[in-house]
């Protein structure tokens, strides 16, 4: 076994209300962002598989580019921006909270 | 048919989707005239990276330096290195040629390649970083039986590494034959020797810097090429699209999805393999331990996905521009017949584009970058394989943690040497082999063997050693079986008329099976050790969330 079960240090962390808050809030953020990316991507794939004509539509009457291109690019750019959102919160508020918990636990 | 062969070998390297296109006959490439400017630029790259290896060697003292560059890589640098690991020659050549050949369908592949990254950040990166030390087995064996789980995880990692290595070596050999005019065997040996030198002498520090330089070169080359291409069309995407429609034989159809992903089961299976296979590639996971803390780990994924996304968008522009610039120019077709066979094969549009827009010098530059790219990816793979052997199998399982750092390092170096020799031998042996099934296997195994154990060990309290082993083995057997029964092996290699398994990618089925078996066996496991393993989850959970104990554990 890598570490004995229920080490006192970890027990203390678990009892810390800040830990509960950290886990709840960060998990919620991660789940919401994952859901946005996955739902967005799989909806797109379903359109590709079942209703490809929707993506064939030209962007305007005299345009050669179809709406599929900006939509595809948007999926990539939006997904990337969401990694920025996650990093912003995880490295800011959540990291501060983690540091506080670590300090309180290890002192 | 040379086109298919190239598409298969070079592109297959990361693009396991391509075998669907490329699983046709396996022909032989013709060797091109010796390309001096390409060789000169490649030599410059090699000299520079060997210099770095020399510098890195003096800094590689501990196992931690060797496997993780001592955790001293910054988030930005690591982001470039991750992007480098992910953007292989196949991305540049394979994706751009897919867009060139199929228009929008190629773009759909590109998007599928990308979306795994945000998911890795949201669900995995943090916990990987907090729980792991050097390898993915560190995480899976945190609360499960060390010996069994490490052996299993190391075998899973080595399987993925070996298949991926073969694919890269075969791709390297073919590319070099084509671009540099060198012999296939010479090319494979050069790649093997350089890989061993980078890894054994410079370890992760050298491998990371080779990766960073290569990523910068690749991004730079892509940007310059896109700029030149756009300038031909007055910097208007609309003009590129109009002219592409006019030039492509499929006309306006290339502006939307066509036949490539018409079958929804394949589409879902493909995307699952890509999403979760990527997350479970050992050389990618290792990159989360090269940064000093979780903060930098998150930053590195943010930077990496930025670079990857940006590069993928550029690659699509290149493919679209090539439809007109390359597709209507007789000098790029065999016998000057526009619309016939491309010189060098179907994977070459972006190379021809470089020649059309920047002349021989730019073509040489891009060739050198493509070769450097393979070299960098292979080095990362070798290091991941060496760490599985030395850290997991030797130090933890065989010596049960009694090995000194010096011994473990020596084993790592021997392991990289052995992997290098193996890669060269297999690369030569597989020269004329269809590698499509290997690519399918690589991602199938990563997604079905490594991923379920990895994710369940981090997220599910109920996981037990028995469950993990049973599920992992079920995933391994089903992934291998399905790949053998699919078109790539059953029809192309074994010459049967019809595949028994109708889809190219096993992930949807084998990964699901692995999850189900793992969960059922874990639930039925009522042994005392299983109880202890479930109880230990709470502590593991705290550490995975906060990283408390991670620093101390890193010194064990």
């Amino acid at each position: 076994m890598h570490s004995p079960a229920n080490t006192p240090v970890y027990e203390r962390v678990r009892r810390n209300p800040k830990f509960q808050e950290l886990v709840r809030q960060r998990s919620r953020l991660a789940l919401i962002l994952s859901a946005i990316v996955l739902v967005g991507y799989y909806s797109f794939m379903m359109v590709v598989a079942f209703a490809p004509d929707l993506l064939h539509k030209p962007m305007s009457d005299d345009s050669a580019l179809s709406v599929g291109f900006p939509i595809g690019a948007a999926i990539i750019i939006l997904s990337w921006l969401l990694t920025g959102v996650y990093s912003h919160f995880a490295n800011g508020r959540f990291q501060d909270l983690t540091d506080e918990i670590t300090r309180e636990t290890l002192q | 048919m040379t086109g298919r062969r190239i598409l298969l070998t070079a592109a297959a390297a990361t693009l396991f989707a391509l075998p669907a296109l490329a699983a046709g006959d396996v022909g032989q490439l013709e060797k091109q005239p010796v390309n001096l400017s390409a060789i000169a630029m490649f030599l410059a790259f090699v000299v520079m990276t060997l210099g770095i290896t020399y510098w890195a060697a003096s800094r590689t003292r501990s196992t931690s330096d060797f496997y993780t560059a001592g955790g001293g890589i910054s988030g930005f640098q690591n982001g470039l290195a991750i992007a480098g690991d992910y953007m292989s020659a196949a991305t540049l050549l394979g994706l751009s040629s897919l867009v060139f050949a199929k228009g929008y369908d190629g773009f759909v592949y590109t998007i599928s390649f990308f979306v795994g990254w945000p998911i890795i950040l949201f669900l995995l990166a943090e916990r990987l970083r907090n729980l792991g030390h050097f390898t993915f087995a560190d995480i899976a064996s945190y609360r499960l039986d060390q010996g069994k789980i490490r052996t299993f995880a190391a075998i899973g990692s080595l399987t993925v590494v070996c298949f991926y290595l073969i694919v890269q070596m075969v791709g390297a050999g073919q590319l070099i034959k084509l671009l540099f005019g060198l012999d296939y065997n010479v090319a494979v040996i050069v790649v093997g020797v350089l890989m061993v030198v980078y890894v054994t002498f410079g370890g992760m520090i050298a491998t990371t810097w080779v990766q960073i330089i290569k990523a910068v070169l690749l991004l730079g080359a892509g940007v310059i090429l896109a700029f030149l291409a756009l300038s031909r069309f007055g910097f208007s995407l609309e003009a590129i699209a109009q002219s592409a429609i006019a030039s492509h034989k499929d006309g306006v159809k290339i502006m939307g999805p066509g036949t490539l992903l018409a079958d929804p089961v394949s589409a879902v299976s493909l995307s699952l393999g890509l999403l979760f296979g990527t997350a479970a590639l050992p050389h990618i996971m290792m990159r989360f331990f090269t940064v000093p803390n979780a903060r930098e780990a998150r930053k590195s994924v943010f930077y990496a996905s930025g670079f990857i996304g940006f590069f993928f968008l550029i690659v699509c522009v290149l493919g679209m521009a090539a439809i007109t610039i390359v597709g209507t120019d007789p000098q790029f077709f065999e016998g000057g017949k526009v619309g016939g066979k491309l010189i060098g094969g179907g994977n070459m549009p972006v190379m021809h584009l470089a020649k059309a827009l920047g002349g021989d010098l730019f073509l040489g530059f891009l060739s050198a970058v493509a070769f450097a790219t393979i070299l960098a990816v292979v080095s990362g793979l070798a290091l991941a394989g060496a760490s599985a052997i030395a850290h997991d199998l030797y130090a933890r399982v065989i010596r049960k943690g009694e090995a000194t750092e010096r011994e473990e390092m020596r084993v790592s170096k021997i392991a990289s040497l052995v992997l290098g020799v193996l890669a060269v031998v297999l690369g030569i042996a597989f020269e004329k082999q269809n590698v499509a099934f290997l690519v399918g296997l690589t991602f199938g195994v990563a997604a079905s063997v490594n991923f379920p154990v990895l994710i369940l060990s981090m997220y599910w309290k109920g996981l037990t050693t028995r469950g993990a082993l049973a599920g992992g083995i079920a995933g391994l057997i089903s992934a291998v079986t399905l790949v053998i029964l699919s078109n790539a092996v059953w029809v192309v290699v074994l010459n049967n008329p019809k595949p028994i398994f109708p889809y190219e990618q096993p992930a949807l089925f084998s990964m699901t099976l692995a999850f189900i078996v793992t969960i059922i066996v874990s639930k039925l496991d009522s042994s005392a050790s299983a109880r202890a393993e479930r109880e230990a989850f709470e502590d593991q959970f705290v550490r995975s969330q906060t990283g408390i104990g991670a620093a101390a554990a890193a010194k064990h």
Side-chain angles (χ1 to χ4, degrees):
Chain A
M1 194 84 9
H2 202 277
S3 67
N6 304 322
T7 327
V9 176
Y10 291 141
E11 191 55 51
R12 265 208 313 279
V13 177
R14 260 194 301 280
R15 281 202 304 268
N16 190 334
K18 281 178 187 160
F19 176 70
Q20 307 293 339
E21 188 190 331
L22 171 74
V23 170
R24 205 172 44 242
Q25 294 191 3
R26 191 167 58 195
S27 305
R28 196 172 60 200
L29 178 69
L31 283 177
I32 291 171
L33 295 181
S34 303
I36 295 174
V37 173
L38 289 176
V39 168
Y41 169 68
Y42 279 104
S43 316
F44 172 75
M45 290 302 277
M46 288 303 114
V47 174
V48 168
F50 293 109
D53 289 345
L54 289 178
L55 295 167
H56 271 285
K57 284 205 179 87
M59 279 168 68
S60 65
D61 286 342
D62 53 351
S63 174
L65 279 171
S66 66
V67 292
F69 283 94
I71 291 174
I75 292 178
I76 290 184
I77 294 166
L78 210 72
S79 305
W80 174 64
L81 288 177
L82 292 182
T83 65
V85 170
Y86 184 81
S87 299
H88 173 77
F89 287 108
N91 279 355
R93 231 165 67 73
F94 294 140
Q95 188 63 47
D96 294 344
L97 208 54
T98 309
D99 293 343
E100 274 173 47
I101 296 166
T102 312
R103 223 175 15 250
E104 287 169 17
T105 311
L106 298 181
Q107 65 189 221
Chain B
M1 195 177 143
T2 56
R4 294 199 154 189
R5 172 66 174 163
I6 291 275
L7 198 64
L8 186 79
T9 49
T14 53
L15 223 96
F16 74 92
L18 274 183
L21 273 178
D25 45 26
V26 179
Q28 268 293 20
L29 271 182
E30 50 187 287
K31 202 165 110 179
Q32 300 293 305
V34 174
N35 181 343
L36 282 178
S37 56
I39 294 177
M41 272 182 257
F42 177 69
L43 284 179
F45 172 84
V46 169
V47 169
M48 183 164 57
T49 47
L50 284 177
I52 286 170
T53 308
Y54 180 76
W55 163 79
S58 65
R59 300 177 157 242
T60 304
R61 290 189 196 91
S62 64
T63 46
S64 153
D65 293 334
F66 186 77
Y67 296 132
T68 66
I73 305 292
S74 79
F76 182 77
Q77 292 162 346
N78 200 46
L80 270 172
I82 293 177
D85 267 317
Y86 202 57
M87 302 184 301
S88 65
T91 322
L92 176 70
L93 301 178
L95 286 176
S96 59
S97 60
L98 257 183
V99 175
F100 174 79
K102 299 266 175 186
Y104 193 79
D105 277 333
F107 194 29
V108 175
Y109 270 104
T110 312
I111 296 164
S112 305
F113 260 104
F114 181 75
V115 289
W117 282 102
I119 303 299
I120 290 175
L121 173 65
F122 304 152
L123 300 180
L124 286 173
E126 187 128 48
R127 294 178 188 219
L128 274 174
R129 168 69 221 180
N130 284 336
L131 290 173
H133 181 191
F134 294 150
T135 65
F136 128 75
D138 291 338
I139 298 144
S141 64
Y142 186 90
R143 69 189 158 104
L144 304 182
D145 184 294
Q146 282 264 3
K148 288 177 191 154
I149 289 294
R150 271 197 201 272
T151 309
F152 163 75
I155 291 171
S157 296
L158 280 171
T159 313
V160 173
V161 163
C162 284
F163 287 138
Y164 217 66
L165 264 179
I166 299 175
V167 176
Q168 297 286 343
M169 295 306 272
V170 174
Q174 299 291 359
L175 253 184
I176 279 141
K177 195 160 133 183
L178 193 83
L179 299 173
F180 289 21
L182 297 175
D183 263 347
Y184 176 89
N185 290 359
V186 173
V188 169
I189 292 169
V190 168
V191 173
V193 169
L194 286 173
M195 163 187 119
V196 171
V197 170
Y198 294 150
V199 175
T200 49
F201 293 105
M204 188 51 121
I205 302 177
T207 304
T208 301
W209 282 100
V210 170
Q211 205 63 266
I212 291 172
I213 295 171
K214 164 242 148 154
V216 171
L217 285 176
L218 196 60
L219 281 164
V223 170
I224 296 170
L225 201 54
F227 179 84
L228 293 173
L230 280 164
S231 70
R232 283 275 178 108
F233 296 95
F235 293 94
S236 155
L237 292 173
E238 179 64 35
I240 293 184
Q242 269 171 14
S243 130
I245 291 173
S247 317
H248 200 283
K249 64 175 168 31
D250 291 340
V252 76
K253 278 195 202 142
I254 58 166
M255 289 293 135
T259 51
L260 218 51
L261 286 167
D263 159 24
V265 174
S266 291
V268 171
S269 197
L270 166 84
S271 60
L272 285 177
L274 278 178
L275 270 170
F276 302 120
T278 303
L281 291 175
H283 65 299
I284 300 273
M285 280 192 273
M286 261 186 113
R287 286 253 155 251
F288 293 105
F289 310 127
T290 54
V291 285
N293 51 45
R295 197 189 290 258
E296 295 298 311
R298 292 181 206 110
K299 267 194 216 162
S300 60
V301 184
F302 170 66
Y303 288 124
S305 44
F307 292 129
I308 296 168
F310 175 67
F311 186 70
F312 279 8
L313 290 176
I314 284 182
V315 159
C316 286
V317 173
L318 295 180
M320 289 305 279
I323 292 177
T324 303
I325 297 175
V326 176
T328 59
D329 189 338
Q331 68 159 317
F332 299 121
F333 289 91
E334 283 181 13
K337 239 174 58 199
V338 170
K341 255 172 27 179
L342 272 181
I343 291 174
N347 226 15
M348 289 292 114
V350 76
M351 289 296 170
H352 293 323
L353 190 67
K355 186 168 156 78
L357 297 170
D360 278 330
L361 199 69
F362 199 71
L363 174 66
F365 174 62
L366 204 61
S367 309
V369 170
F371 194 15
T373 292
I374 293 177
L375 207 50
V377 172
V378 171
S379 304
L381 281 169
L383 200 58
S387 64
I389 294 170
H391 177 65
D392 294 322
L393 291 181
Y394 177 76
R396 298 259 162 259
V397 177
I398 297 174
R399 299 289 305 275
K400 303 210 169 8
E402 298 296 315
T404 63
E405 286 211 1
R406 186 188 285 269
E407 286 171 325
E408 190 177 331
M409 287 258 285
R410 198 169 58 227
V411 175
S412 312
K413 291 183 177 187
I414 297 169
S416 357
L417 187 66
V418 171
L419 279 170
V421 174
L422 197 69
V424 169
V425 171
L426 291 174
I428 291 172
F430 278 79
E431 179 188 357
K432 295 181 183 73
Q433 204 23 281
N434 178 317
V435 290
F437 77 100
L438 290 178
V439 184
L441 262 183
T442 306
F443 278 80
V445 168
S448 316
V449 182
N450 296 350
F451 182 73
V453 174
L454 177 71
I455 195 88
L456 289 176
S457 72
M458 293 194 290
Y459 278 90
W460 187 45
K461 182 179 178 172
L463 181 72
T464 72
T465 303
R466 272 184 215 170
L469 291 178
I473 292 166
L476 179 64
I477 294 173
S478 59
V480 173
T481 312
L482 290 179
V483 170
I484 291 174
L485 297 181
S486 75
N487 184 58
V489 180
W490 197 249
V491 178
V492 178
V493 179
L494 301 174
N495 293 319
N496 289 295
K498 253 182 73 171
I500 293 177
F501 177 64
Y503 310 107
E504 291 285 341
Q505 238 298 316
L508 176 60
F509 305 94
S510 53
M511 193 174 95
T512 311
L513 181 74
F515 271 111
I516 292 172
V517 172
T518 309
I519 290 170
I520 291 175
V521 175
S522 297
K523 287 250 184 218
L524 293 176
D525 188 355
S526 56
S527 60
S529 59
R531 223 170 16 254
E533 285 160 8
R534 291 186 195 110
E535 271 165 26
F537 179 80
E538 298 296 332
D539 281 0
Q540 181 199 308
F541 182 73
V542 173
R543 178 163 147 189
S544 76
Q545 290 283 349
T546 59
I548 291 173
K555 290 194 196 83
H556 60 174

